[in-house]
Amino acid sequence: MHILFLALLALSMPESTDSLRTTDIEEVVVVSTPKEDMRLRRQPLSATSFSQDDMMQRGMTSIKNLSAQVPNLFIPSYGSRLTTSVYVRGIGSRTGTPAIALYLDGVPQVSPASYDFNLSNVDRIDILRGPQSTLYGRNSMGGVIRVFTKNPMHYQGTDISFDGSHDLGGAPAGRQDGGGAGRYRLNLTHYHRISDRFAFSGHFFGEYDGGYFRNEARGNELIDRQADLGARARLIYKPKADLNFDLSLSHEWLRQGGYPYEYEGTTGTPSTPAPQTRAGHIAYDNHSGYQRHLTNVGLTTEKTWPRAVLTSVTGFQHLNDRMDLDQDFTDRNLYTLIQRQNVNTISEEVIIKKATTPLNGEKGLTSEQKNLYLWLFGANVLHQWTTTEGPVTFHSDGLEWLNSLINRQANLHLPTITSHDDDGNEAYKMNFVFNNTIEGSDLAFPGTYKTPTTNLALFHKSTLQHLFGAEGLTLTASLRLDYEHFSLDHDAHYTFKQRYGLDGRLTYPDGSVREGMMLVPTRTFEVTDALRGSLSKGYLQLLPHITLQYAFTCGEDDTSSNAYATVSRGYRSGGYNIQMFSELLQNRMQTAIMHNVADATIPVMESVSMIPSDVKQTVRGMLTEMGTQQPTDVEGVTWYKPESSWNFEIGTHLNLLSSHLSADFALFWMETRDQQVSRMSAGGLGRVTANSGRSCSLGGEATLNLRINEGLQLQVAYGYTHAKFHDGGFVPFVPRHTFSIDATRTWTLTNRWLQEVTLHAGYHGAGRIYWTESNTTWQNFAGMLDASLSLQRKHTELSVYARNILSTRYQTFYFETMQRGFAQYTKPAEMGVQIRWRF
């Protein structure tokens, strides 16, 4: 940290202080927000915004880069873009539905597999924290991320940028990381306004990452390579001054390599075979990777009348992806998963609100603004069709483990027969030797799951200005009625051949042993089973939101500041854990195996006179019980309930020092019921979402934006969250602290070859983060130091940047499976160059 402050002191040279003020992004970037009537910092909520320049300086190429740079926001960087887990203020989950909603140009991105997309061509990102469920609905109980691309009506020209970077230094001692081919990005965008009625933009992007992490079990291959190609188009048509059509289209193709999960050692007594993988190394034997096609279409229509504005937002999203996963992440050939998804989502939202000029928040309100009543009504419908194929397949080592597990468990329960001679002395002991084998080199549990989801909602917001005649006092009350319906059509099955026989082992008093006595001749069975059927569930949610806000000024030269208090309710959708079907089938498979064992064993056993009758009865009862298939409660095992919370928040947005300083503060208290957490299933065959009771989150947030002089700006953001279960420890994946500090120094020059020089330095970190519900593993506070130097001449900009300058190494992700721990770590220092042309 001292490096950053020394840089600030060195850069703080005397400058002219004419017209100094902090810049509000909304003064520069024009966006359409049909649910709002005022700028973001004048609203009663906690929010952070980043402009395109902010994102470039901070190296934000995906929303995962927002982690720790926004107070109390943590997005773990792990594996692939299959899903994006967002944790904010003590809630979030790796599986299931997201805790924070994402909107791209006003259109919801429903599937968490679509969250991590390319951010080139993005003009601004807003992060709204705290429940936004009343206006934004499902899965926004932690907040909303709003992404806006450049509007060709307001911005014209051509942007071309090329970015190349490479990791610095080698891998830590004794490791096989390093040696990647670097990362390269190309972006080409054209914005054109043909007339006041029509404008369009076209954007192409490509990205290649040569990877950094190596897999020792696959010839030290670089496993985290990826390639990303895509295009976006936006068309705006205004046939009349009061009518606007905004159409956006995009498609992205992505292909990624495997998952850089290092083996951390055992966390208990593993039941699966021990790997040869050394702790601190990546070594799994089966191919892993992720690929997808993602298409988005959005149409926003806005009609304005003198007293009302009607907005319609129509969205369509298509996602087709495939994940290959070595589920044991070791060099043993245990089991794999190949998951394919086909997701189609269509949404429609209609909003009508009172037309009014937004409050400027300055001193002195016009007569038209006094006693102003604002209203908004909205309706939303969303339907999603999802088809998932997810066969778990056991391979050679996995089948060996399954066979040994079945035989070991059976032999533990089979009784020992003791024989005595005429004098009452022990003649011998006979132990049963259970020999069962699932034949073949592979055992698959294929399944097809269709999970259609429907959401319907009505919502309203009323805002009363100057409450009780008090100028600046505002009351806002909102209410949403939300209905969700889920269905699950499942077809999961298996087929294999079972070979079974029962031997006996005689032990004589002198210790000698006679092996291989055939008691039940070996037989082969065809075993097949299926879980097919349909389930459905629906529920209603009532979501109120009440806010009291007071606007004021802090001095004669300061613009309006405000303070607020909010009470709101949020919720996150429930759903079905389709990952549980492999486990359900495995349990049914063991019962089917024992059913065949009973059919083969009991008749033979009954015919053997030397077996005592009490032993026959014991074995008969045990085998009959173990071989009797019980009804499978599919819904009880797979369904997880919706999560809900009450949020209490007080905060303020201050403009101080003649607007040289903007400061935002908030304190929150969140009570959450049926909290959703991600857990490994009991059999270790997949990660599922489960309800973990109640939790309480207490915390605060602070953001400062200080313009020291005309060319030097400092931004500081801090968040604190104390999130604990009522009957347990800390909520996992929630950092106790998040902190970021960024300094930007700009020199404006008169040199004919160089017009502007900008130096940026930033540090951001998070911790402590508990990785498990048991709180036995954690990552202490750690962060990264980044910097960039930008040189601008007319239409050309050259930037040199460095990420993780100190090569800080810490866990960005950790999980446990089959009594073993695995973790992903940060990459070392990275240095790159970007060149950008603007015409």
Side-chain angles (χ1 to χ4, degrees), residues 1 4 739-742 761-765 781-786 806:
M1 288 302 299
L4 184 61
F739 176 76
S740 70
I741 179 169
D742 290 83
Y763 176 87
H764 52 90
F781 184 91
M784 292 186 179
L785 178 65
D786 304 329
L806 303 179

Side-chain angles (χ1 to χ4, degrees), residues 94-231:
R94 285 174 50 205
T95 56
T97 54
I100 192 165
L102 177 67
Y103 281 72
L104 176 60
D105 286 330
V107 180
Q109 309 298 292
V110 179
S111 172
S114 66
Y115 274 34
D116 192 359
F117 60 88
N118 189 292
L119 290 183
S120 58
N121 188 42
V122 168
D123 202 23
R124 169 179 153 190
I125 296 181
D126 297 337
I127 303 93
L128 285 58
R129 299 181 297 281
Q132 307 298 320
S133 299
T134 307
L135 292 182
Y136 289 92
R138 65 196 304 270
N139 305 332
S140 59
M141 67 176 292
V144 175
I145 298 175
R146 305 187 307 195
V147 181
F148 302 97
T149 60
K150 282 186 179 293
N151 187 325
M153 274 289 183
H154 305 130
Y155 184 91
Q156 285 80 50
T158 301
D159 282 2
I160 304 174
S161 68
F162 176 77
D163 186 318
S165 65
H166 203 284
D167 302 312
L168 299 178
R175 297 171 51 79
Q176 295 296 319
D177 296 348
R183 282 165 285 282
Y184 307 95
R185 302 181 186 92
L186 174 66
N187 297 285
L188 172 61
T189 314
H190 180 70
Y191 308 89
H192 193 75
R193 184 174 64 192
I194 297 176
S195 68
D196 291 339
R197 292 188 175 185
F198 184 74
F200 71 91
S201 65
H203 174 63
F204 167 80
F205 60 88
E207 179 179 346
Y208 173 76
D209 188 339
Y212 170 75
F213 296 98
R214 294 184 179 273
N215 186 348
E216 296 180 4
R218 295 180 59 86
N220 283 328
E221 68 175 359
L222 288 162
I223 57 172
D224 56 329
R225 293 178 177 176
Q226 66 172 306
D228 188 9
L229 291 172

Side-chain angles (χ1 to χ4, degrees), residues 434-470:
F434 194 89
N435 291 317
N436 185 84
T437 303
I438 299 172
E439 296 188 328
S441 58
D442 296 310
L443 172 60
F445 294 88
T448 301
Y449 312 96
K450 297 182 179 180
T451 51
T453 302
T454 301
N455 178 266
L456 304 171
L458 297 172
F459 55 94
H460 169 70
K461 181 174 77 169
S462 287
T463 301
L464 183 61
Q465 306 280 357
H466 318 307
L467 189 66
F468 307 126

Side-chain angles (χ1 to χ4, degrees), residues 432-741:
F432 296 108
V433 181
F434 194 89
N435 291 317
N436 185 84
T437 303
I438 299 172
E439 296 188 328
S441 58
D442 296 310
L443 172 60
F445 294 88
T448 301
Y449 312 96
K450 297 182 179 180
T451 51
T453 302
T454 301
N455 178 266
L456 304 171
L458 297 172
F459 55 94
H460 169 70
K461 181 174 77 169
S462 287
T463 301
L464 183 61
Q465 306 280 357
H466 318 307
L467 189 66
F468 307 126
E471 191 169 296
L473 186 62
T474 301
L475 176 67
T476 301
S478 307
L479 185 65
R480 185 186 188 98
L481 180 64
D482 214 275
Y483 173 74
E484 284 207 275
H485 185 269
F486 295 87
S487 297
L488 170 61
D489 298 326
H490 55 277
D491 180 2
H493 52 276
Y494 64 81
T495 299
F496 65 90
K497 289 187 177 180
Q498 170 196 2
R499 188 174 73 249
Y500 164 73
L502 185 66
D503 294 342
R505 182 174 67 245
L506 289 179
T507 303
Y508 295 96
D510 61 2
S512 60
V513 178
R514 179 184 174 186
E515 300 277 2
M517 296 182 60
M518 181 180 293
L519 302 180
V520 176
T522 300
R523 290 177 57 183
T524 300
F525 301 89
E526 186 85 17
V527 183
T528 184
D529 193 10
L531 284 173
R532 298 186 175 97
S534 298
L535 303 170
S536 65
K537 205 176 243 327
Y539 53 79
L540 281 168
Q541 294 284 343
L542 195 62
L543 306 168
H545 186 118
I546 300 176
T547 297
L548 189 64
Q549 183 181 20
Y550 179 65
F552 56 92
T553 56
C554 298
E556 290 187 5
D557 296 328
D558 291 312
T559 56
S560 178
S561 300
N562 60 74
Y564 64 89
T566 295
V567 178
S568 57
R569 186 176 186 269
Y571 92 102
R572 182 151 54 128
S573 302
Y576 292 101
N577 284 306
I578 61 175
Q579 298 89 340
M580 285 300 301
F581 279 92
S582 296
E583 198 136 317
L584 289 173
L585 285 177
Q586 184 184 345
N587 294 335
R588 291 176 63 88
M589 177 195 72
Q590 295 184 28
T591 302
I593 287 174
M594 295 311 298
H595 177 79
N596 293 332
V597 168
D599 285 350
T601 303
I602 292 176
V604 175
M605 181 186 63
E606 296 288 357
S607 65
V608 179
S609 59
M610 64 177 292
I611 300 178
S613 58
D614 60 331
V615 173
K616 291 181 179 180
Q617 183 178 353
T618 298
V619 173
R620 186 190 315 115
M622 180 190 66
L623 294 180
T624 300
E625 180 180 357
M626 295 175 67
T628 301
Q629 199 72 260
Q630 300 297 325
T632 302
D633 183 9
V634 175
E635 181 172 290
V637 173
T638 60
W639 172 255
Y640 57 92
K641 295 183 290 186
E643 176 181 291
S644 63
S645 68
W646 280 100
N647 184 76
F648 307 89
E649 181 176 340
I650 58 173
T652 184
H653 305 296
L654 303 175
N655 294 301
L656 306 169
L657 305 178
S658 299
S659 295
H660 296 177
L661 172 65
S662 65
D664 300 331
F665 302 98
L667 296 173
F668 63 87
W669 169 28
M670 181 182 292
E671 288 286 341
T672 304
R673 291 180 177 270
D674 298 316
Q675 178 145 9
Q676 295 173 13
V677 296
S678 181
R679 294 173 178 165
M680 187 61 66
S681 60
L685 297 183
R687 190 159 291 277
V688 298
T689 300
N691 296 108
S692 187
R694 299 176 58 189
S695 74
C696 175
S697 295
L698 298 169
E701 298 166 352
T703 303
L704 302 176
N705 190 335
L706 173 64
R707 185 172 291 277
I708 299 173
N709 55 43
E710 187 66 27
L712 181 58
Q713 186 167 344
L714 177 67
Q715 295 173 309
V716 182
Y718 171 73
Y720 172 79
T721 300
H722 185 274
K724 293 192 70 174
F725 295 109
H726 279 254
D727 57 354
F730 289 96
V731 178
F733 281 82
V734 176
R736 185 80 58 85
H737 306 275
T738 59
F739 176 76
S740 70
I741 179 169

Side-chain angles (χ1 to χ4, degrees), residues 74 87-88 90-94 675-679 692 695 723-725 729-735 768-775 777 814:
F74 179 62
Y87 293 82
V88 59
I91 57 173
S93 178
R94 285 174 50 205
Q675 178 145 9
Q676 295 173 13
V677 296
S678 181
R679 294 173 178 165
S692 187
S695 74
K724 293 192 70 174
F725 295 109
F730 289 96
V731 178
F733 281 82
V734 176
R768 164 184 294 195
I769 306 169
Y770 290 99
W771 297 120
T772 60
E773 289 181 72
S774 62
N775 291 176
T777 58
Y814 175 90

Side-chain angles (χ1 to χ4, degrees), residues 80-83 95-96 111-113 259 287 289-292 319-327 336-343 386-393 445-449 576-580 582 685-687:
S80 72
R81 299 190 194 180
L82 171 70
T83 186
T95 56
S111 172
Y259 308 87
H287 166 73
Y290 177 67
Q291 53 186 310
R292 78 176 180 203
L319 170 70
N320 190 300
D321 69 0
R322 168 177 169 151
M323 176 186 66
D324 295 71
L325 187 65
D326 186 332
Q327 280 200 288
T336 60
L337 169 67
I338 299 176
Q339 177 180 286
R340 298 178 178 88
Q341 283 189 121
N342 191 297
V343 185
T386 303
T387 301
T388 305
E389 296 179 1
V392 172
T393 303
F445 294 88
T448 301
Y449 312 96
Y576 292 101
N577 284 306
I578 61 175
Q579 298 89 340
M580 285 300 301
S582 296
L685 297 183
R687 190 159 291 277

Side-chain angles (χ1 to χ4, degrees), residues 133-423:
S133 299
T134 307
L135 292 182
Y136 289 92
R138 65 196 304 270
N139 305 332
S140 59
M141 67 176 292
V144 175
I145 298 175
R146 305 187 307 195
V147 181
F148 302 97
T149 60
K150 282 186 179 293
N151 187 325
M153 274 289 183
H154 305 130
Y155 184 91
Q156 285 80 50
T158 301
D159 282 2
I160 304 174
S161 68
F162 176 77
D163 186 318
S165 65
H166 203 284
D167 302 312
L168 299 178
R175 297 171 51 79
Q176 295 296 319
D177 296 348
R183 282 165 285 282
Y184 307 95
R185 302 181 186 92
L186 174 66
N187 297 285
L188 172 61
T189 314
H190 180 70
Y191 308 89
H192 193 75
R193 184 174 64 192
I194 297 176
S195 68
D196 291 339
R197 292 188 175 185
F198 184 74
F200 71 91
S201 65
H203 174 63
F204 167 80
F205 60 88
E207 179 179 346
Y208 173 76
D209 188 339
Y212 170 75
F213 296 98
R214 294 184 179 273
N215 186 348
E216 296 180 4
R218 295 180 59 86
N220 283 328
E221 68 175 359
L222 288 162
I223 57 172
D224 56 329
R225 293 178 177 176
Q226 66 172 306
D228 188 9
L229 291 172
R232 297 191 188 109
R234 187 171 178 184
L235 298 89
I236 298 178
Y237 177 52
K238 298 186 68 172
K240 300 179 182 179
D242 58 0
L243 183 61
N244 185 77
F245 298 96
D246 189 342
L247 175 66
S248 60
L249 308 97
S250 67
H251 182 79
E252 182 177 1
W253 171 85
L254 170 73
R255 183 162 188 166
Q256 288 186 286
Y259 308 87
Y261 299 154
E262 294 185 9
Y263 177 48
E264 295 286 290
T266 60
T267 60
T269 305
S271 56
T272 56
Q276 296 179 355
T277 305
R278 293 171 295 168
H281 291 257
I282 302 170
Y284 54 86
D285 60 313
N286 284 293
H287 166 73
S288 294
Y290 177 67
Q291 53 186 310
R292 78 176 180 203
H293 288 272
L294 176 63
T295 302
N296 280 292
V297 180
L299 175 62
T300 300
T301 304
E302 186 176 272
K303 171 64 176 175
T304 303
W305 292 281
R307 295 189 178 182
V309 178
L310 177 67
T311 305
S312 167
V313 181
T314 305
F316 172 75
Q317 185 177 83
H318 171 72
L319 170 70
N320 190 300
D321 69 0
R322 168 177 169 151
M323 176 186 66
D324 295 71
L325 187 65
D326 186 332
Q327 280 200 288
D328 58 272
F329 294 108
T330 69
D331 52 13
R332 302 304 296 261
N333 196 17
L334 292 172
Y335 48 91
T336 60
L337 169 67
I338 299 176
Q339 177 180 286
R340 298 178 178 88
Q341 283 189 121
N342 191 297
V343 185
N344 293 286
T345 307
I346 187 168
S347 61
E348 173 64 32
E349 186 169 60
V350 178
I351 300 169
I352 185 169
K353 66 179 182 179
K354 184 176 181 180
T356 181
T357 302
L359 288 176
N360 59 19
E362 304 291 344
K363 297 180 301 176
L365 300 170
T366 68
S367 59
E368 293 179 347
Q369 292 171 331
K370 292 184 178 180
N371 301 315
L372 185 62
Y373 171 65
L374 303 177
W375 51 262
L376 177 151
F377 292 92
N380 181 81
V381 58
L382 179 147
H383 188 75
Q384 185 177 74
W385 302 264
T386 303
T387 301
T388 305
E389 296 179 1
V392 172
T393 303
F394 285 84
H395 302 287
S396 55
D397 290 340
L399 283 176
E400 180 182 340
W401 167 65
L402 279 177
N403 288 328
S404 64
L405 180 66
I406 294 171
N407 289 328
R408 185 170 62 251
Q409 291 297 321
N411 286 325
L412 286 174
H413 290 87
L414 289 174
T416 299
I417 299 175
T418 302
S419 176
H420 297 83
D421 56 21
D422 295 338
D423 297 329

